[in-house]
Amino acid sequence: MQQIPVDTAGATLMVAQPPQPKFADQKTQKRAADTQTGEFLATLDVLFVKDGNADVIRITVPESAVSGDLVTGTPIGITALVARPWENEFNGQKRWGIAFRAAYVSSLADGATKSKAA
C-alpha cells in the first residue's frame, strides 16, 4: 500500500482528543493490532496547524509509542507520520479516505524530550 510522508516541520501539533484503544470490531470490542508486530494500536485526534490552516486528523500509533501525558491541548511531536489513501465497498456503498499512521507521538510539555519529535 502506498504511503505518503507528511511533513510536520513548521506545524503546530496538539492533542485534540487523548489516545484511545483502536478496535478492529466495535461490536465485539476486539482490539486492532499491528499486522507485523501484533502490538495493540491506539488512535488520537491531533490539531494540525500549518500555514494558517487548521485541521483535526486522527492518527493511529502503536500503544507503546505514546509518550508522556497526552491530554487535550498538550503540544506534541510526531515521528514518521504517513498518510495512506484507502477505499472499500460495503453494502454497495463505495467509501474512501486517508488514514494517518505515526511511529511515535510524544508530549512536548514541561520537560518531555523533544528529540523524538520530527
Side-chain angles (χ1 to χ4, degrees):
M1 179 182 301
Q2 182 180 6
Q3 294 185 29
I4 304 163
V6 177
D7 181 13
T8 59
T12 299
L13 306 166
M14 103 181 40
V15 175
Q17 290 291 323
Q20 300 292 319
K22 182 171 183 167
F23 296 100
D25 187 335
Q26 289 282 27
K27 290 180 185 177
T28 64
Q29 296 289 296
K30 179 182 177 190
R31 295 289 309 275
D34 184 281
T35 56
Q36 294 178 353
T37 66
E39 183 175 357
F40 286 132
L41 300 171
T43 62
L44 71 148
D45 291 348
V46 173
L47 178 63
F48 188 105
V49 183
K50 188 169 182 177
D51 300 329
N53 296 311
D55 288 298
V56 174
I57 60 174
R58 178 162 290 162
I59 295 175
T60 298
V61 63
E63 282 187 336
S64 67
V66 175
S67 171
D69 189 21
L70 301 182
V71 297
T72 301
T74 304
I76 57 173
I78 299 175
T79 301
L81 180 62
V82 294
R84 295 178 183 168
W86 62 268
E87 181 178 330
N88 65 25
E89 189 170 333
F90 184 72
N91 289 337
Q93 297 272 354
K94 284 194 176 192
R95 299 176 49 185
W96 58 271
I98 299 173
F100 294 92
R101 179 87 183 244
Y104 193 84
V105 177
S106 61
S107 170
L108 298 180
D110 297 332
T113 60
K114 294 185 181 185
S115 62
K116 289 276 186 177

